[in-house]
Amino acid sequence: MADFAKPKGKGRFTSLAFTSLTWLLAGIFFFPIFWMFISGFKSELDANGAPKLFFEPTLEQYRIVTETPPGQLGFWEATTNSFIIVIVSTLIVMMLAVPTAYALTIRPVGKWMEYLFFFISTKFLPIVASILPIYILAKHFDLLSSRRLLIILYMSMNLPLAIWMLRSFFQEVPRELIEAAEIDGANLRSQMVSVILPIVAPGLAATALLCFIFAWNEYFLAVQLNTTGGETVPIWASSVVDERGQFLAKLSAASTLATLPVIVAGWVAQKRMIRGLAMGAIK
Amino acid sequence: MTTTLSEGEPSTLERRQRQRKKRGTWQKYISPLVLLPTSAGIAIFVYGFIAYTFWVSISNWGGIKEDLSVREPATGNYSDLLTTTRFQIDMRNTVIFTVLFMVLAIGVGLGAAILLEQKVRGRKFFRNVILFPYAISLVVTGVVWRWLFNPEVGINLLFDVTGFNSVLTQAGGSELEPGWTTDPSVWLQINSLLVAIFPFADDLQVKLGIPAAIIPVAIAASWQVSGFVMAMYIGGMASLPNSVREAARIDGASEWQVYSKVIIPMLKPVTITVGVILLHISLKTFDLVVAMTGTGPGFATDMPSLFVFETMFKATRYNLASAASIVILLFASVVVVPYLIRSSREES
């Protein structure tokens, strides 16, 4: 970004003021996460007493929350479910979204802009309006006791978003390159593999990452359809809230665990995050 | 048509062009073939499902046993719904929450975007910090803020630690100890005012005003999405031509005027998009409330989606819950449909 600040005499003072204001804002935004992270390593006594920064760190809370109480949803089971559901649904989304984005940009058909908005319109409509038929169908096809239901639902939840994002990445592929490949007699497959995909690869990664995050955090469908055998991490986290609502340190440990994959994913791909998140607007 | 070199022997170029044309006719069908199943799927699964929900909302299906016969009168479930106290409260909460949430999130997001546009060192770092909450789960957000707004251990301690409260008591006031999410009061009630204008407003069982407990929820929700709003504005500002600012400055506009008179009005399309998205997020608020407050004191933080959830899956009053879903859908459509039609026209 270009520097727009005014090149005038009072520059140094204003710049100092802006810097401190930014620090303040960042502090407000960062504090809740920081405090959650810190509290997970405290004993319950330290966590619930007067706030203090220095304490004897302990992994006790992590040990307790990851233990599986008999007959209940354990952390490891929920994590396994979440990873399988999220990764499989993201893979399917990408396999479907790439050809669709291709069909909308590289070789667009007239009037398809309106179809794109038709796709997107579904993201704006509250899912609560279709929860009952989803439930009935799922029950009918015996999907309520498996991971498959959430895989299907997260796939349909993320597909319009992925198409929308990929479309904007595909638009950046220079037309001359595709035309050159065509003149050289490259068929559709080699056009895709050797020309288009290398250019849009970072976009593909950003899109997949965003689908991963949204599916990982999804709670409404997961809890409404109450799938046995397919409970995800947010369900586990909220069950910890129900059971241990008064135990701040344990809640913090559980929340940190539930957030960890997102932190790792975000850290790996931070460059693309901004653009991805801005486009992934219609969560 | 193409020019040929000679009639008898086609040139390499011509052969290639012919080849290309042949492939072209075949490739012409790729796009529709790819798009058709997706569009059909969306049409059936989204709009078909909505149609089904609407049907249930006018049916007699109010218990475990499925009954899709149309209720007499067909609007019966809707009038039941509108006279349900809890749903009235939910509607009030949604309106108040949406307004607070939008003002806060857009205010902070736009402010952060403008701030980060200035000469600030470590801009990218700050941007990532502010954006980060957007990526974490709303359940986690709820857990964290539930603790922050806990009257005993949360930010109320700040008032004690900083000595703010001792100053207050010395000045003869009482200590500042807001109950936050546990506060059942409803501020700025307008019931009596309404009754004076519309006599039938007397039937309302709900206190129309600002439920105090919903303010912390709106703060938490704004904390979550402000970074996203900021990212949208940063994107919007980056696409504005630099010459606009230059021109305004040359004309003698102060830095404040450059933003308030030039930049922010030019960002109107971004603001509209952000507004529509935030409205959509606020109408589906569920996770945050479940983890943070539940239904709150006197349903002060209850939301329509919680109402649907409990009415449908706990009370099994399918028709009433479906009617509530359709009302939520209508709320969203009033804003979203014109927005989508407008932007699709602009794009094409």
Side-chain angles (χ1 to χ4, degrees):
Chain A
M1 234 185 289
D3 284 327
F4 305 116
K6 268 201 307 185
K8 284 193 183 160
K10 54 181 178 180
R12 187 172 292 171
F13 175 75
T14 7
S15 140
L16 191 72
F18 280 133
T19 308
S20 20
L21 207 58
T22 315
W23 274 102
L24 183 72
L25 193 71
I28 293 172
F29 269 82
F30 190 58
F31 177 76
I33 299 171
F34 169 75
W35 204 251
M36 170 187 90
F37 182 73
I38 292 287
S39 300
F41 294 100
K42 288 179 177 173
S43 66
E44 286 299 346
L45 202 67
D46 280 343
N48 287 297
K52 53 177 157 183
L53 212 49
F54 300 101
F55 57 92
E56 223 173 284
T58 166
L59 286 173
E60 182 66 10
Q61 315 305 340
Y62 282 91
R63 195 184 58 75
I64 294 174
V65 290
T66 51
E67 260 173 15
T68 311
Q72 282 175 37
L73 175 69
F75 170 71
W76 298 109
E77 192 195 339
T79 308
T80 317
N81 285 340
S82 265
F83 268 111
I84 293 175
I85 291 171
V86 168
I87 289 174
V88 173
S89 73
T90 305
L91 282 179
I92 303 177
V93 164
M94 296 310 285
M95 282 188 305
L96 292 173
V98 168
T100 314
Y102 175 88
L104 285 168
T105 50
I106 313 283
R107 201 173 294 282
V109 196
K111 287 249 173 192
W112 283 100
M113 195 60 222
E114 282 161 28
Y115 287 81
L116 184 65
F117 276 92
F118 179 61
F119 291 157
I120 283 299
S121 73
T122 62
K123 291 300 298 176
F124 281 106
L125 300 173
I127 189 87
V128 73
S130 15
I131 194 77
L132 180 62
I134 291 176
Y135 178 76
I136 292 170
L137 272 183
K139 210 165 141 190
H140 184 257
F141 289 104
D142 199 20
L143 287 170
L144 286 175
S145 55
S146 70
R147 300 179 186 124
R148 275 169 297 164
L149 178 61
L150 287 185
I151 292 179
I152 297 170
L153 290 177
Y154 291 173
M155 185 207 84
S156 34
M157 172 180 92
N158 279 331
L159 189 60
L161 165 77
I163 293 172
W164 182 262
M165 274 181 76
L166 283 182
R167 177 185 149 264
S168 89
F169 287 113
F170 269 65
Q171 273 176 336
E172 284 169 13
V173 179
R175 290 214 66 88
E176 300 79 42
L177 274 184
I178 299 162
E179 273 159 25
E182 271 179 1
I183 289 171
D184 286 348
N187 61 18
L188 183 63
R189 225 197 95 198
S190 55
Q191 256 182 55
M192 204 65 182
V193 173
S194 57
V195 182
I196 302 174
L197 288 184
I199 298 177
V200 296
L204 287 183
T207 310
L209 179 81
L210 211 66
C211 293
F212 177 93
I213 292 178
F214 287 160
W216 182 271
N217 289 339
E218 206 286 329
Y219 178 70
F220 182 76
L221 290 169
V223 73
Q224 297 261 11
L225 301 166
N226 193 25
T227 51
T228 43
E231 291 112 325
T232 52
V233 167
I235 303 272
W236 170 77
S238 72
S239 77
V240 177
V241 177
D242 285 344
E243 287 158 30
R244 313 178 198 267
Q246 301 308 313
F247 301 101
L248 177 68
K250 289 183 191 69
L251 279 181
S252 300
S255 305
T256 308
L257 285 174
T259 316
L260 216 56
V262 175
I263 298 181
V264 174
W267 184 66
V268 170
Q270 46 175 307
K271 257 194 186 166
R272 297 274 150 190
M273 274 286 260
I274 277 269
R275 184 165 172 200
L277 284 173
M279 276 197 284
I282 328 133
K283 154 153 101 154
Chain B
M1 279 310 282
T2 51
T3 47
T4 42
L5 292 173
S6 64
E7 279 297 308
E9 34 188 312
S11 69
T12 341
L13 181 74
E14 200 196 344
R15 225 175 19 237
R16 275 194 182 162
Q17 274 171 339
R18 210 179 282 161
Q19 234 177 13
R20 206 176 141 197
K21 220 174 141 202
K22 206 170 126 206
R23 197 181 302 125
T25 50
W26 181 77
Q27 288 193 345
K28 214 165 67 183
Y29 297 106
I30 292 180
S31 298
L33 273 178
V34 166
L35 293 174
L36 197 68
T38 329
S39 324
I42 287 177
I44 295 166
F45 285 102
V46 177
Y47 293 99
F49 280 11
I50 289 174
Y52 181 87
T53 307
F54 176 73
W55 184 265
V56 175
S57 81
I58 56 168
S59 78
N60 279 314
W61 190 8
I64 306 255
K65 204 177 159 294
E66 187 173 333
D67 179 3
L68 284 175
S69 58
V70 176
R71 189 176 157 175
E72 216 31 76
T75 53
N77 295 317
Y78 288 91
S79 43
D80 281 0
L81 183 72
L82 295 178
T83 50
T84 306
T85 312
R86 182 173 171 191
F87 194 72
Q88 292 181 359
I89 296 177
D90 291 352
M91 289 283 101
R92 172 200 71 188
N93 291 351
T94 303
V95 172
I96 303 287
F97 176 80
T98 306
V99 171
L100 288 174
F101 170 63
M102 281 196 175
V103 169
L104 271 174
I106 292 182
V108 173
L110 179 61
I114 292 175
L115 202 57
L116 291 187
E117 217 191 21
Q118 315 302 320
K119 254 190 194 156
V120 172
R121 221 175 265 179
R123 222 185 266 144
K124 275 187 188 147
F125 168 74
F126 287 121
R127 195 185 60 185
N128 288 349
V129 165
I130 295 173
L131 189 59
F132 183 68
Y134 185 61
I136 71 176
S137 145
L138 276 163
V139 176
V140 171
T141 302
V143 169
V144 174
W145 285 89
R146 167 201 180 101
W147 171 78
L148 281 174
F149 281 116
N150 182 320
E152 262 93 58
V153 293
I155 48 180
N156 277 9
L157 286 178
L158 270 184
F159 299 134
D160 295 336
V161 174
T162 53
F164 186 72
N165 269 343
S166 53
V167 172
L168 271 186
T169 39
Q170 271 168 16
S174 54
E175 289 196 352
L176 187 64
E177 266 174 347
W180 301 115
T181 52
T182 57
D183 189 345
S185 48
V186 177
W187 297 338
L188 302 173
Q189 286 185 37
I190 53 164
N191 284 52
S192 45
L193 192 75
L194 264 186
V195 174
I197 308 170
F198 311 102
F200 60 83
D202 214 15
D203 294 341
L204 283 175
Q205 296 107 311
V206 53
K207 292 176 189 159
L208 287 180
I210 302 172
I214 216 159
I215 295 171
V217 183
I219 293 176
S222 315
W223 174 78
Q224 169 107 20
V225 300
S226 292
F228 155 71
V229 177
M230 173 196 74
M232 293 285 283
Y233 276 117
I234 287 179
M237 284 179 183
S239 65
L240 292 182
N242 219 348
S243 54
V244 176
R245 301 159 195 268
E246 300 297 320
R249 275 178 202 142
I250 289 168
D251 288 348
S254 71
E255 204 61 11
W256 167 252
Q257 284 170 327
V258 171
Y259 279 103
S260 64
K261 299 262 165 67
V262 182
I263 309 280
I264 295 175
M266 283 184 82
L267 288 172
K268 200 176 148 203
V270 181
T271 309
I272 293 176
T273 307
V274 166
V276 170
I277 291 164
L278 291 185
L279 174 86
H280 156 82
I281 294 177
S282 100
L283 284 179
K284 65 169 202 181
T285 304
F286 179 80
D287 333 18
L288 179 67
V289 176
V290 167
M292 192 171 164
T293 56
T295 53
F299 292 117
T301 61
D302 196 32
M303 289 287 166
S305 50
L306 260 95
F307 176 85
V308 171
F309 176 48
E310 287 182 6
T311 316
M312 193 173 282
F313 293 109
K314 291 190 176 152
T316 67
R317 288 213 55 191
Y318 293 104
N319 50 7
L320 196 68
S322 298
S325 319
I326 295 294
V327 171
I328 301 173
L329 183 73
L330 286 179
F331 256 73
S333 313
V334 168
V335 176
V336 169
V337 172
Y339 167 75
L340 283 177
I341 291 175
R342 219 189 81 173
S343 15
S344 103
R345 280 210 192 113
E346 272 168 15
E347 284 267 353
S348 47

